[in-house]
Amino acid sequence: MAVAIGFRFFPTEEELVSFYLRNQLQGTRQDMHLVIPVLNIFYDLEPWDLPKLAGELCKGDVEQWFYFIPRQEREARGGRASRTTASGYWKATGSSGFVYSSDDRVIGMKKTMVFYKGKAPNGRKTKWKMNEYRAIEALSDPYVAAPPKFVSSLCCIEQLSSIR
């Protein structure tokens, strides 16, 4: 499939969560995998291997790549997800933030991570950055104060030109 000259996939955070991630969870749009493939980027894959595994319509992008990440079994049981690979680990930076809809509702969370080569805590920081987006399961009663339940994630990977 050819992509038009000047095309670049550059969605907003709201679009990533409310359209792409929601449709992935509901299984309604199989054509999305041409742009955002399903890939377990932890354990098996190093950050520098990811650009060549980008979605068919985004292979030429040199700045960022998107992947749907299957939920890990231990994470589904309430445990902490592992963010390691054979050569290093993804380390969270800063605190998680909310993703808002255009009508100012919280629809997801965003966590930023940086890849470190080596073993923690002595790893070396690299130029690879990941933003992980998680959709929040809608509550049946919006007036009930319950903790958000995360149901899936989508990651945006970037190779930074210089470490900030």
Side-chain angles (χ1 to χ4, degrees):
M1 177 177 259
V3 177
I5 294 173
F7 170 82
R8 180 157 185 250
F9 182 66
F10 197 71
T12 64
E13 290 180 340
E14 179 184 9
E15 291 168 333
L16 285 172
V17 173
S18 66
F19 179 77
Y20 292 97
L21 193 48
R22 291 275 177 218
N23 278 307
Q24 171 67 15
L25 292 169
Q26 296 164 356
T28 54
R29 301 279 313 254
Q30 295 305 314
D31 59 340
M32 284 193 316
H33 296 155
L34 293 172
V35 178
I36 306 175
V38 177
L39 199 61
N40 185 357
I41 65 172
F42 306 114
Y43 301 121
D44 306 329
L45 300 168
E46 304 300 341
W48 43 89
D49 295 331
L50 295 173
K52 64 182 174 236
L53 300 172
E56 185 178 323
L57 296 178
C58 294
K59 286 229 188 264
D61 198 327
V62 295
E63 291 184 27
Q64 58 184 0
W65 307 273
F66 297 86
Y67 307 95
F68 290 116
I69 309 300
R71 198 165 178 192
Q72 296 174 3
E73 187 177 326
R74 69 192 259 189
E75 185 181 13
R77 292 189 312 242
R80 195 168 150 183
S82 174
R83 302 290 188 238
T84 60
T85 70
S87 71
Y89 57 97
W90 291 95
K91 180 180 177 184
T93 60
S95 55
S96 297
F98 294 112
V99 177
Y100 293 92
S101 66
S102 54
D103 61 354
D104 220 21
R105 289 180 301 115
V106 174
I107 57 172
M109 295 286 289
K110 173 184 171 182
K111 182 189 301 185
T112 301
M113 294 179 248
V114 173
F115 188 76
Y116 284 74
K117 279 185 95 170
K119 301 269 186 216
N122 300 321
R124 283 187 350 265
K125 187 176 185 178
T126 68
K127 295 180 180 183
W128 291 95
K129 176 183 135 187
M130 174 188 348
N131 286 319
E132 181 180 41
Y133 296 92
R134 292 179 170 261
I136 295 177
E137 186 176 85
L139 296 172
S140 56
D141 183 353
Y143 300 105
V144 174
K149 181 178 178 187
F150 301 107
V151 290
S152 189
S153 63
L154 181 153
C155 290
C156 172
I157 308 289
E158 299 176 55
Q159 183 178 17
L160 305 175
S161 56
S162 62
I163 297 176
R164 298 180 238 237

